[in-house]
Amino acid sequence: MKATSRNELVIIEEELLNFLTSLCNELRGKGIPLSISEIESAIRVLRNYCSLRGYIRENGTYTLPVIEFKEVLKSVLAKRAHFEKIFEETFNNFILRKSALKYKIMKDIESHLRELKIHYGDKIPISKMKYLIRNPNRKQAFCTLRKLGIIRKDSRRGIYEVLSRDKVRSIALKCIEYNFKDLNKIANYVMLKNIQKCSLRALKDEKEFYLDSIEDIIQSKLNLELLPTAKLLELSYYASEKNKRYISKYLTQTLAHRISETPMEVRKLDENKLVSLLKEHGFLSSRILSSVLNYNPRAVDSLIKDHKDRDVVINSLPLIKLESQRYIVSKLFRFKLSKDEILRIISNINPRALSVLEKAKYVSLNPNEQLLIKAAAKLAKAFEYYRRAFLEDNVGYYDMANSVLEEYDELMRQYSLTSKQVSKSKLEKTLLNKIDLLNTLLASASAKETSALPLIVKIYGASFYTLRLLKEIYETTIDTRTKRNLLHLASIIVQRLKTRYRSYALLSKRKKTKRKTTSIIIRDSIYNVLRFEEQPVVYHTRKKDIKVVLLVDVSGSMREFAEHAILIASTFAKSISDLIVFRENVIHVPRSTLRNPVSLVEFLFNLKFEGWTNIALALSEVSRRRGRKIVVMISDLKQTVKGYDPLSEARKAIRGSVEFIVLTPPIHDEMFANSLKTLGAKVYVVRGIDDFVKKLAYIFRGI
Amino acid sequence: MQHKREVEDVIEKKVYETYYTIVEPFKPVRSVKGIVEQLREKFKLIVSEKLVALVVSAFLTGRPVLFEGPPGTGKTEVGYGILTLWAGKKAFILPCSENYDEYRVIGDFHPLMAMKMGFTEESFVPRPLLAALILDAGVLVDEIRRSSLRRVFKAKGEGFQVIFTSNPEDIAQGELSDAFLRRVVRIKFTYPPEEVEKEIAKLRLGEDFKMITEDSISKVLAVVNELRNKALHKPGPADTVAWTQMATGLAKLRGKKKADLKDFYDAAFSVLLKRSEDEDLVYSIVEKYFKR
Ligand SMILES: Nc1ncnc2c1ncn2[C@@H]1O[C@H](COP(=O)(O)OP(=O)(O)O)[C@@H](O)[C@H]1O
Ligand SMILES: [Mg+2]
């Protein structure tokens, strides 16, 4: 398709199909419902029109005025008044893009070449070029051409090479597709894609060039989503070396954001560079740090000397998994810690991680506390031996466990002698608490003493927290009988929780509405007519009421919400047609699981909260379910699996449901949330977990 | 000719008996240029080749056409004209209203005859749409939004084509369904540019147009355009024509050779004042241009 004079288009019939499909795609994206049949109609009407007007040239080409082309397409593709404007804009955009843009791009490229006084196919020594581009205008032109790949560096021969005219032309053609009007922006975009694909090696070899480019890319406000994490880090590091603070900060911020969304990425990164950058620019929050440490605990090494950094590390501990916790704690204790720090570390970690503290130094503590910490460490160690004994079926470990347990007993005996007189310090209390827990763990792991389980419930009550605790034990224990007991115990707690959810629902009043259909019950209606009833016509009411499809995001950040949501779903199982939990994949939870508390708990206990999120996939599941439905989605709306289009899936899902409700935590993807709203979804931002539970229960109440 | 063929089918026969003379068959006009010319000559309508070409290409593609636009822009007359010329027979017009349903359009049973003979072909009364199908004539469904008809009818012969008209701004009218819109080719009618509107008036008034000065016709168009921007009732070209016709009529009665400001002033209100809310506005605008 090309423009001849100012107002005419030459259309080749084969291209027309491509043109129309992409135009219609864009129109569809903007809310105009169009199907293949409309594209087909458009082509046929256009063909007839051109033949009537005498616009058809030989070999299947049409030459017609742009305005008429537009009017004909509009009559088939935009048939509602409010679609016309959308059509108009999109169409103009397309035409502009296709014809004017190419012309403009070529012109701009050539003017840059002129600025540099070089021609297609030239070869210029690197040194000469260096001299040339001392002038800022020339430098700008040079950079743009180089980013576009029109000027290439050949280091071996020591020259810069300009591509031939034909090759430049094909580059220009590709550029059109990027849909930017300004050559500079196009160049930056091309460069961004180049950085995405190039090797780390190339990045190192051409530091200067890449750094300059990324600066331009940032200034032109392009989205850095395309850049791999490792390259973000390298570039940020170079920028920092070169004292380009603004650039370095921007890149680090992007990096921090990336890490909090997909912590696994950290594995690929150099932890020292990463930590020093995060620190330098003030992005070292405990949340980000926990993501870093979870997947790369060695990053802690550079953070334990300074007490401020240590603070952040300690705060991030609860979010870190056991193995990494162990490493970090042992590192921390190599240092002289204050009493307060020790207290916070101990209360923040999994009791099992205490096992690394057997030989640690803790000069700041009083003898009682020292005794207790040692005892706790011994107990934790004994537990690990037990576990290994069991896992590896090795009696040797039992002996070791028992001997460590004896040491523990001895320490506790000493402690009980000395601690009687004085009141207990905070640290002692915390430690005793952990010791309690460890004892329970030990009891359940060794499977001889499962009666300890109800004790937990006694201590902590039938709360959500207890459920968490039981899950932890469930994960650590190996004995199947204990596991069974745990499930039963947990299911009892679940029953109690359900009563609570129900009471939330009862607090709110919302009337059920009867849904009429259009079909009439003829017999009843006739009777009513004969009896002169005021409203004689009786309609069939819908037997099947609307049910809820519940979508629950079980990525790491959504853990608490998700657990509650699943429990609430089971409370109102009657109103649920489907419960779908999703991460990078989707799991369809059978209704039988929802109804049976034990299988529910088992499901919950085996559910892992980590990994990537694929909202698009989950939404596509919704569209597959037939019938009238209300969709409730619980998610922070962050699509972290790339290559999907959550918005278009959302559109389908929203169109196919009676009501589409989203509950989302305060930190969520606001752009996506807003788009959902404009598509007709109801998006509620919940204030916290309590608010969430109430809102969700309320929704079920109304159904 | 078609009607001389032996007609076996009872209903077809009936249709020929009742409707054939009404449609006054003549030689169909199937070229775009021909249609444009004839519209001007026979129907006194000014229509662009582009529009006719689009309508005809929709016909050739087997799609019904929807004319949408504000009142008085010629939708009904243009539709009727094109359909008539295309089929070579007067088109059927179905003016729509709420209770215009499929029975009224296609056909129903004569109650008395049905009592006597039962629901047979004899007692069936064919209505315009069925007649148009059988006679291969065009059908204009006028103001589709006012009807309960929501179907798009399939064409059999070449001559049987359907044009719908509709005014999207009329709030009393229902919405058109997606399914309906999907099938039609929609052509939007707008107010014509000034030269065209002048041309229309000239064509409609014929000899009488000479009674209007260049100055007054520009004033008429200025008033009309201002009202289109501001008033609730927006005058269409139909109103421009009516106003100028009435003004020249008055001038003749008053024995003048040319219509003057007073004639236009006096004629204005009966044409332009359609809604009481507009009263002050219409007065002030007309006075601005036509008060001596
Ligand atoms: N293009 C046109 N050519 C000639 N007359 C026109 C034209 N458009 C509107 N008119 C005037 O409007 C009248 C027709 O209006 P009509 O077809 O009833 O409009 P609509 O159906 O759009 O309300 C004609 O009688 C004529 O006076
Ligand atoms: Mg009309």
Side-chain angles (χ1 to χ4, degrees):
Chain A
M1 190 161 307
K2 53 179 194 255
T4 50
S5 72
R6 251 179 313 149
N7 300 320
E8 277 197 335
L9 272 182
V10 176
I11 301 170
I12 300 166
E13 212 169 283
E14 286 155 35
E15 279 181 24
L16 183 62
L17 185 63
N18 276 335
F19 175 84
L20 281 178
T21 347
S22 51
L23 177 71
C24 286
N25 259 337
E26 206 153 300
L27 291 172
R28 241 179 253 140
K30 290 176 183 166
I32 305 185
L34 290 172
S35 61
I36 306 279
S37 85
E38 265 114 353
I39 299 182
E40 208 186 308
S41 274
I43 292 178
R44 287 169 59 205
V45 172
L46 188 73
R47 192 187 295 143
N48 284 328
Y49 184 87
C50 288
S51 97
L52 285 170
R53 301 277 282 149
Y55 290 154
I56 293 199
R57 300 269 170 279
E58 70 293 349
N59 57 42
T61 350
Y62 314 146
T63 310
L64 80 164
V66 179
I67 298 183
E68 290 180 44
F69 183 50
K70 180 163 76 184
E71 289 306 315
V72 173
L73 292 185
K74 192 157 83 178
S75 72
V76 182
L77 303 179
K79 289 186 243 186
R80 289 193 189 279
H82 54 283
F83 291 159
E84 283 176 56
K85 207 174 143 216
I86 302 176
F87 175 86
E88 201 71 39
E89 271 171 18
T90 316
F91 179 90
N92 289 344
N93 227 335
F94 253 70
I95 295 297
L96 194 78
R97 205 142 80 208
K98 294 278 170 212
S99 47
L101 197 55
K102 188 185 164 204
Y103 179 76
K104 184 171 181 293
I105 288 173
M106 281 307 281
K107 270 257 146 31
D108 285 353
I109 290 173
E110 279 166 9
S111 92
H112 282 335
L113 288 173
R114 242 177 286 127
E115 175 82 49
L116 285 165
K117 300 196 175 71
I118 54 178
H119 307 92
Y120 294 118
D122 275 359
K123 293 181 175 58
I124 305 106
I126 291 178
S127 51
K128 187 178 164 199
M129 187 59 92
K130 261 195 184 143
Y131 176 77
L132 257 175
I133 60 176
R134 281 192 305 192
N135 166 316
N137 279 345
R138 279 193 216 132
K139 177 160 187 187
Q140 166 76 35
F142 170 78
C143 283
T144 304
L145 293 177
R146 194 154 176 226
K147 283 185 220 154
L148 286 168
I150 290 170
I151 295 180
R152 301 207 163 152
K153 188 175 182 181
D154 187 339
S155 314
R156 236 168 6 101
R157 287 195 285 166
I159 52 165
Y160 283 112
E161 196 176 342
V162 187
L163 294 187
S164 71
R165 197 188 155 127
D166 280 348
K167 284 193 182 151
V168 171
R169 201 174 260 165
S170 78
I171 287 181
L173 262 179
K174 261 189 226 148
C175 288
I176 295 173
E177 302 304 322
Y178 300 141
N179 196 15
F180 298 119
K181 284 186 194 134
D182 170 47
L183 189 65
N184 233 332
K185 200 146 191 183
I186 296 173
N188 287 329
Y189 188 73
V190 172
M191 192 60 204
L192 184 63
K193 293 191 100 170
N194 175 0
I195 303 179
Q196 180 199 5
K197 279 185 240 138
C198 78
S199 62
L200 269 177
R201 186 65 223 231
L203 210 64
K204 270 179 198 149
D205 289 349
E206 290 282 338
K207 267 188 209 182
E208 296 272 343
F209 174 53
Y210 281 102
L211 199 57
D212 284 347
S213 303
I214 199 80
E215 187 168 353
D216 296 342
I217 289 172
I218 291 171
Q219 251 140 30
S220 60
K221 300 208 168 59
L222 286 168
N223 190 341
L224 298 186
E225 191 112 312
L226 284 177
L227 280 192
T229 317
K231 284 173 190 162
L232 272 177
L233 179 65
E234 284 307 315
L235 287 168
S236 177
Y237 197 71
Y238 297 154
S240 165
E241 276 180 345
K242 294 267 171 210
N243 251 329
K244 297 196 170 183
R245 267 193 59 85
Y246 163 72
I247 303 296
S248 177
K249 180 165 183 178
Y250 187 88
L251 292 171
T252 308
Q253 188 177 12
T254 316
L255 196 61
H257 192 74
R258 183 84 57 89
I259 289 170
S260 66
E261 274 184 354
T262 49
M264 263 110 85
E265 293 274 293
V266 174
R267 284 206 191 115
K268 301 177 203 155
L269 306 178
D270 177 324
E271 69 273 0
N272 289 327
K273 282 184 187 172
L274 177 62
V275 168
S276 79
L277 282 171
L278 287 171
K279 221 162 94 173
E280 181 183 338
H281 300 295
F283 293 118
L284 201 64
S285 69
S286 53
R287 196 177 125 85
I288 301 271
L289 186 61
S290 68
S291 303
V292 175
L293 292 178
N294 245 331
Y295 290 94
N296 204 337
R298 270 172 310 149
V300 82
D301 295 355
S302 56
L303 290 171
I304 39 183
K305 294 202 186 72
D306 182 77
H307 82 96
K308 264 198 210 133
D309 294 345
R310 250 187 349 248
D311 251 17
V312 188
V313 173
I314 293 172
N315 286 338
S316 70
L317 279 171
L319 295 168
I320 294 172
K321 54 187 181 188
L322 181 62
E323 276 318 304
S324 308
Q325 265 188 11
R326 284 210 173 102
Y327 181 88
I328 295 161
V329 170
S330 65
K331 286 277 168 167
L332 281 172
F333 270 83
R334 278 190 205 161
F335 216 78
K336 245 169 113 187
L337 299 168
S338 74
K339 185 164 173 173
D340 178 57
E341 280 174 327
I342 294 179
L343 171 64
R344 281 169 45 229
I345 293 173
I346 304 256
S347 42
N348 278 350
I349 58 175
N350 184 323
R352 287 177 63 194
L354 287 167
S355 62
V356 296
L357 292 186
E358 214 183 344
K359 295 195 179 82
K361 291 176 276 184
Y362 13 77
V363 274
S364 53
L365 305 184
N366 69 33
N368 267 347
E369 289 161 345
Q370 292 195 18
L371 266 179
L372 213 48
I373 215 170
K374 208 162 235 160
K378 293 279 179 204
L379 192 57
K381 194 145 192 208
F383 175 76
E384 288 324 301
Y385 283 142
Y386 257 114
R387 224 174 109 78
R388 284 176 82 169
F390 201 96
L391 283 176
E392 295 166 28
D393 200 14
N394 183 339
V395 195
Y397 282 121
Y398 277 123
D399 296 340
M400 289 164 83
N402 285 332
S403 80
V404 180
L405 267 183
E406 271 167 31
E407 290 174 46
Y408 159 76
D409 283 340
E410 174 59 26
L411 287 167
M412 283 308 274
R413 204 176 49 76
Q414 281 179 32
Y415 172 74
S416 62
L417 288 178
T418 51
S419 70
K420 258 177 211 150
Q421 304 85 355
V422 267
S423 64
K424 293 185 177 65
S425 73
K426 219 169 175 185
L427 179 60
E428 283 176 82
K429 280 184 197 153
T430 311
L431 278 165
L432 283 170
N433 220 328
K434 297 271 166 178
I435 286 174
D436 256 4
L437 258 171
L438 278 169
N439 269 321
T440 326
L441 280 174
L442 196 64
S444 44
S446 60
K448 280 172 200 139
E449 180 68 85
T450 40
S451 59
L453 288 177
L455 193 71
I456 300 187
V457 183
K458 251 186 216 153
I459 300 172
Y460 296 102
S463 70
F464 188 72
Y465 179 71
T466 317
L467 212 56
R468 278 269 178 94
L469 218 61
L470 292 180
K471 180 170 181 177
E472 190 145 294
I473 301 174
Y474 183 86
E475 278 167 354
T476 47
T477 181
I478 315 113
D479 177 51
T480 45
R481 224 186 63 217
T482 313
K483 282 201 169 187
R484 236 188 358 259
N485 284 337
L486 275 165
L487 290 182
H488 275 281
L489 190 60
S491 71
I492 293 166
I493 295 176
V494 163
Q495 297 293 22
R496 297 222 190 131
L497 284 174
K498 280 191 189 177
T499 330
R500 209 166 302 159
Y501 292 132
R502 258 185 225 112
S503 69
Y504 278 135
L506 289 176
L507 288 177
S508 51
K509 290 182 208 115
R510 195 167 131 183
K511 264 199 205 146
K512 285 190 186 185
T513 44
K514 249 194 190 169
R515 288 166 220 281
K516 267 200 310 199
T517 61
T518 47
S519 59
I520 298 171
I521 306 174
I522 299 192
R523 250 180 102 169
D524 294 4
S525 303
I526 292 176
Y527 279 134
N528 284 345
V529 171
L530 294 176
R531 284 197 215 104
F532 299 104
E533 293 278 342
E534 225 172 67
Q535 286 178 324
V537 183
V538 185
Y539 294 96
H540 279 288
T541 46
R542 206 173 280 276
K543 285 195 196 78
K544 264 170 100 188
D545 255 345
I546 304 188
K547 295 222 165 164
V548 173
V549 176
L550 186 65
L551 292 175
V552 182
D553 181 344
V554 291
S555 58
S557 53
M558 290 298 293
R559 173 170 181 171
E560 202 161 6
F561 296 97
E563 284 176 335
H564 275 292
I566 292 168
L567 290 174
I568 292 175
S570 132
T571 313
F572 300 98
K574 258 196 222 153
S575 324
I576 296 231
S577 75
D578 294 271
L579 170 62
I580 297 169
V581 302
F582 64 98
R583 264 198 306 271
E584 63 277 355
N585 54 359
V586 296
I587 305 166
H588 191 232
V589 185
R591 288 166 62 96
S592 57
T593 306
L594 279 186
R595 287 210 211 90
N596 178 339
V598 178
S599 23
L600 178 78
V601 171
E602 192 173 5
F603 170 73
L604 212 54
F605 278 11
N606 286 306
L607 196 59
K608 297 270 179 298
F609 292 91
E610 57 185 31
W612 307 58
T613 317
N614 194 344
I615 298 176
L617 194 64
L619 288 170
S620 73
E621 282 291 307
V622 174
S623 309
R624 271 201 242 148
R625 310 257 178 269
R626 291 165 164 266
R628 290 154 59 82
K629 55 189 180 265
I630 292 176
V631 180
V632 180
M633 178 159 84
I634 291 144
S635 170
D636 55 10
L637 303 175
K638 288 175 186 156
Q639 168 91 22
T640 51
V641 177
K642 300 282 178 264
Y644 285 80
D645 181 3
L647 205 57
S648 78
E649 291 297 343
R651 184 172 300 117
K652 268 187 251 160
I654 291 172
R655 203 178 298 154
S657 51
V658 177
E659 208 173 357
F660 195 103
I661 302 170
V662 181
L663 293 180
T664 186
I667 300 171
H668 60 270
D669 186 327
E670 295 194 3
M671 259 201 356
F672 190 38
N674 282 334
S675 328
L676 285 176
K677 270 187 224 162
T678 45
L679 287 175
K682 291 183 186 150
V683 181
Y684 299 108
V685 179
V686 297
R687 266 168 277 130
I689 202 75
D690 286 338
D691 188 32
F692 169 75
V693 169
K694 275 181 200 152
K695 283 213 166 82
L696 188 58
Y698 175 81
I699 290 170
F700 280 108
R701 164 73 178 149
I703 291 160
Chain B
M1 286 232 85
Q2 233 173 348
H3 70 291
K4 287 190 180 144
R5 194 187 75 199
E6 203 54 52
V7 181
E8 294 288 329
D9 187 273
V10 184
I11 291 178
E12 277 194 31
K13 208 167 145 198
K14 262 193 205 177
V15 166
Y16 276 101
E17 280 164 8
T18 349
Y19 291 101
Y20 196 71
T21 46
I22 307 176
V23 299
E24 297 172 13
F26 58 94
K27 191 166 180 287
V29 184
R30 295 270 162 98
S31 79
V32 173
K33 286 216 163 65
I35 293 177
V36 171
E37 254 172 52
Q38 296 276 313
L39 282 175
R40 195 186 172 102
E41 275 166 27
K42 275 201 192 162
F43 296 87
K44 296 210 182 307
L45 287 166
I46 294 183
V47 184
S48 72
E49 268 186 43
K50 290 182 212 165
L51 187 137
V52 174
L54 191 48
V55 174
V56 172
S57 28
F59 287 174
L60 294 176
T61 316
R63 299 273 161 178
V65 177
L66 170 68
F67 284 172
E68 260 196 327
T73 42
K75 299 181 297 293
T76 308
E77 288 192 15
V78 172
Y80 176 78
I82 296 180
L83 286 168
T84 301
L85 291 168
W86 177 260
K89 287 162 200 131
K90 277 195 179 174
F92 288 83
I93 301 186
L94 308 181
C96 289
S97 69
E98 283 312 339
N99 44 24
Y100 221 77
D101 56 13
E102 251 98 288
Y103 300 109
R104 296 281 188 94
V105 170
I106 296 169
D108 52 11
F109 293 91
H110 194 287
L112 286 177
M113 277 166 64
M115 292 255 282
K116 247 197 283 180
M117 302 185 266
F119 292 94
T120 63
E121 293 174 344
E122 263 76 31
S123 57
F124 185 79
V125 185
R127 298 284 183 195
L129 190 61
L130 188 61
L133 260 168
I134 291 172
L135 294 174
D136 204 28
V139 175
L140 181 81
V141 182
D142 206 17
E143 300 296 344
I144 174 74
R145 283 171 203 248
R146 293 230 158 141
S147 80
S148 43
L149 271 185
R150 283 296 181 272
R151 261 217 232 138
V152 179
F153 304 92
K154 258 258 177 311
K156 253 163 78 188
E158 286 262 278
F160 176 82
Q161 297 294 352
V162 183
I163 293 180
F164 300 92
T165 77
S166 129
N167 169 15
E169 282 150 35
D170 184 346
I171 39 167
Q173 303 195 354
E175 267 300 312
L176 296 173
S177 72
D178 276 338
F180 175 86
L181 285 180
R182 181 154 289 159
R183 305 232 34 221
V184 301
V185 169
R186 171 180 179 267
I187 298 175
K188 203 177 148 184
F189 274 59
T190 48
Y191 301 116
E194 278 197 18
E195 331 66 87
V196 178
E197 197 157 358
K198 210 186 279 178
E199 191 81 351
I200 291 173
K202 195 170 163 189
L203 184 66
R204 288 274 157 169
L205 264 66
E207 279 300 302
D208 290 351
F209 193 72
K210 294 197 179 112
M211 296 176 70
I212 301 172
T213 62
E214 192 62 26
D215 175 57
S216 16
I217 188 76
S218 335
K219 280 182 176 167
V220 165
L221 293 176
V223 169
V224 165
N225 271 322
E226 208 167 328
L227 285 174
R228 280 175 196 164
N229 288 331
K230 294 178 185 163
L232 287 175
H233 170 81
K234 303 186 189 324
D239 298 307
T240 312
V241 171
W243 187 11
T244 45
Q245 268 170 348
M246 200 176 281
T248 51
L250 274 177
K252 273 190 216 162
L253 281 177
R254 289 166 177 166
K256 290 183 254 182
K257 286 223 163 110
K258 292 254 176 200
D260 58 22
L261 291 185
K262 185 169 162 39
D263 300 323
F264 279 100
Y265 184 84
D266 292 343
F269 303 107
S270 58
V271 177
L272 301 174
L273 246 182
K274 298 264 164 70
R275 294 180 60 160
S276 58
E277 296 97 315
D278 287 337
E279 207 169 319
D280 293 342
L281 187 70
V282 173
Y283 272 105
S284 73
I285 294 176
V286 174
E287 281 184 1
K288 193 162 82 190
Y289 292 94
F290 289 102
K291 197 85 192 200
R292 275 155 299 180

